[in-house]
Amino acid sequence: VSTQSTGGTLGGGAIYDIVGRRIGALIGYCIVALSSFAVAASPNVTMLFICRFLQGVGVFVGFTGMYVLLLEYTASRYRSLVNSCILLMWALGYLLTSLIGYTVYSWKWNSAITGFLCTVTVVPLLLVPESARFLLVTRDNMKGAVENLTWLANLNNAPLDSSQLQLTDKDQAPEVQPSFLQTLKDFLTYTELTIQTVCQMWLWMVSGFVYYGFSFSWSKLSTNIYIGYLLAAVGEVIAYVAMVPMLDKLGRKWANMSFFFAGAASFIVAIGQVNLGSDFTLEQLSCLLGSMAIAAVFGSIYLYTLELAPTSHRGKILGSCSFAARIGAFLGPQAPLLFEWSRVGALIIFAALSLSAGLVLFRLPDTSKVATPSTAGEVQARARGENTDSSTVSENKAV
């Protein structure tokens, strides 16, 4: 699974910045649909593995492309709410998968149903326009951006006066848009962009490791595995809902820092062995609270990274961070081995990693009430304390 998703995150990161968010998502979901049908018709194990690999690649290309497209069309004051709704739909997708698996015993029909659902997903992507931010920053296409925003406004019965849209720094836009290779060189030219990306990759890797570590470790932490996983699922839903006001009130940076520190404190408290009942202990309660905190990070870090990354490099940075998260997701399922080695040692490792991620956040800026950067140069300028406002379209509008 980690190998599949790694291919999707790295490939998708390039696709989003080259052909666009919408086309990238279309490519991803088409890959999933076609490979799902191919899985159902696989004549041998080799073909099955190949098609399953393509499924994993397509899922992450499609989901991340759709995520970026939606958030770039969402005003900053609504992003935390929309982000939570997207993640809740993701969680409901797991429920739907379980229901399909429970009612349909044939794995071939399961795969065919998945292919059908992904085919249906392609339909709205054929209708939704490309991100206005992408068109403005990477294509310098003001006309196309205004047309897309106007189309969406009319769809929502909210006619938009194009004269209200504010394009800034137009005169400073380069005549020739930078190539894909040039945007890669920007990571060497603009050190702040590189530092922020590396810091975010560490946050993603830690959250992936701890999140999946606990997802596979409840059998070691709970005397009743079913109750353990049920509480974990309920806790995750609570975390996705609770993170919305925290992101809005504390800001993206401080909310994520609070989540990491709360997780670290919970894991330390869990070291104590205190029975809270016949089937529940202080360790289980603390680990449940810690896993809820990390689930909140896992849900909000997408939004934080999207707002930190400049539009011109957003696909590459999200792809790189997702790649780091896949490393954590690959190591996380091995966490039960840590608990077999030493329960206290495993909890200390979880606490240390969560604490380190919280401390790394001190190096990153907050993105609340700040226009998302458009270029790598703007990221560098903001780090020097310069007041930049090159948001290509007013933040009070759609993007």
Side-chain angles (χ1 to χ4, degrees):
V1 174
S2 293
T3 303
Q4 297 165 358
S5 56
T6 296
T9 54
L10 292 179
I15 291 173
Y16 311 138
D17 289 339
I18 296 176
V19 301
R21 291 37 165 149
R22 171 177 167 270
I23 300 299
L26 266 172
I27 291 173
Y29 283 114
C30 285
I31 291 175
V32 179
L34 293 174
S35 58
S36 296
F37 288 126
V39 165
S42 296
N44 52 57
V45 175
T46 301
M47 182 59 67
L48 175 65
F49 283 164
I50 292 174
C51 294
R52 286 287 293 160
F53 176 84
L54 292 175
Q55 273 185 315
V57 170
V59 164
F60 278 85
V61 173
F63 172 77
T64 307
M66 176 71 82
Y67 181 87
V68 175
L69 178 64
L70 289 174
L71 267 294
E72 287 188 341
Y73 266 125
T74 303
S76 58
R77 62 182 178 275
Y78 298 124
R79 282 183 190 148
S80 58
L81 177 61
V82 172
N83 176 71
S84 180
C85 290
I86 293 173
L87 293 168
L88 285 174
M89 291 301 102
W90 177 277
L92 290 177
Y94 280 115
L95 176 61
L96 178 62
T97 301
S98 300
L99 290 175
I100 293 174
Y102 182 78
T103 56
V104 180
Y105 294 101
S106 171
W107 62 268
K108 289 188 176 182
W109 279 109
N110 273 322
S111 187
I113 292 172
T114 300
F116 171 76
L117 293 175
C118 289
T119 301
V120 173
T121 305
V122 168
V123 176
L125 281 171
L126 295 173
L127 303 176
V128 175
E130 180 57 87
S131 165
R133 278 191 178 276
F134 172 80
L135 292 176
L136 284 170
V137 176
T138 66
R139 296 292 183 270
D140 196 18
N141 185 356
M142 176 62 174
K143 180 181 178 181
V146 172
E147 289 177 351
N148 290 355
L149 289 172
T150 303
W151 185 89
L152 286 173
N154 292 334
L155 182 67
N156 288 278
N157 296 319
L160 181 66
D161 183 359
S162 59
S163 63
Q164 292 179 313
L165 300 178
Q166 301 176 5
L167 177 67
T168 60
D169 287 347
K170 174 69 175 177
D171 295 335
Q172 300 177 16
E175 295 183 1
V176 179
Q177 296 299 312
S179 65
F180 177 74
L181 291 178
Q182 182 58 52
T183 57
L184 289 179
K185 293 180 181 177
D186 286 343
F187 286 96
L188 299 176
T189 304
Y190 300 101
T191 56
E192 181 63 21
L193 180 68
T194 303
I195 292 172
Q196 288 189 15
T197 301
V198 171
C199 288
Q200 292 173 80
M201 289 176 68
W202 177 250
L203 301 180
W204 281 62
M205 186 172 70
V206 170
S207 61
F209 174 78
V210 178
Y211 177 84
Y212 285 105
F214 273 97
S215 295
F216 284 84
S217 296
W218 283 108
S219 60
K220 303 293 183 182
L221 294 170
S222 177
T223 56
N224 189 317
I225 185 174
Y226 299 103
I227 293 178
Y229 277 103
L230 176 62
L231 291 175
V234 173
E236 189 164 332
V237 172
I238 295 174
Y240 288 155
V241 175
M243 73 181 185
V244 176
M246 292 194 67
L247 287 171
D248 289 336
K249 298 298 182 181
L250 299 180
R252 299 1 175 183
K253 172 181 177 176
W254 301 105
N256 277 288
M257 192 181 296
S258 299
F259 296 146
F260 274 121
F261 286 156
S266 297
F267 300 142
I268 292 297
V269 173
I271 294 177
Q273 293 183 316
V274 179
N275 291 326
L276 301 179
S278 58
D279 293 324
F280 215 61
T281 65
L282 176 63
E283 176 188 23
Q284 293 161 8
L285 176 61
S286 298
C287 286
L288 176 61
L289 294 176
S291 65
M292 288 173 60
I294 298 302
V297 169
F298 202 77
S300 60
I301 202 169
Y302 261 100
L303 175 61
Y304 186 45
T305 298
L306 181 139
E307 292 182 340
L308 275 176
T311 305
S312 56
H313 296 68
R314 190 162 291 139
K316 301 178 192 66
I317 292 176
L318 273 173
S320 300
C321 290
S322 295
F323 170 73
R326 291 317 105 202
I327 296 176
F330 176 77
L331 297 174
Q334 317 308 317
L337 299 177
L338 289 176
F339 282 97
E340 290 182 0
W341 161 68
S342 171
R343 183 186 69 86
V344 174
L347 290 172
I348 290 176
I349 290 174
F350 280 124
L353 289 173
S354 300
L355 179 62
S356 70
L359 294 174
V360 165
L361 276 162
F362 278 108
R363 177 59 180 77
L364 297 174
D366 190 22
T367 58
S368 302
K369 300 179 181 179
V370 178
T372 54
S374 298
T375 63
E378 187 175 340
V379 173
Q380 192 75 25
R382 290 184 180 185
R384 293 195 297 264
E386 299 178 13
N387 184 19
T388 63
D389 187 16
S390 62
S391 180
T392 48
V393 178
S394 172
E395 283 289 306
N396 292 325
K397 297 302 175 185
V399 297

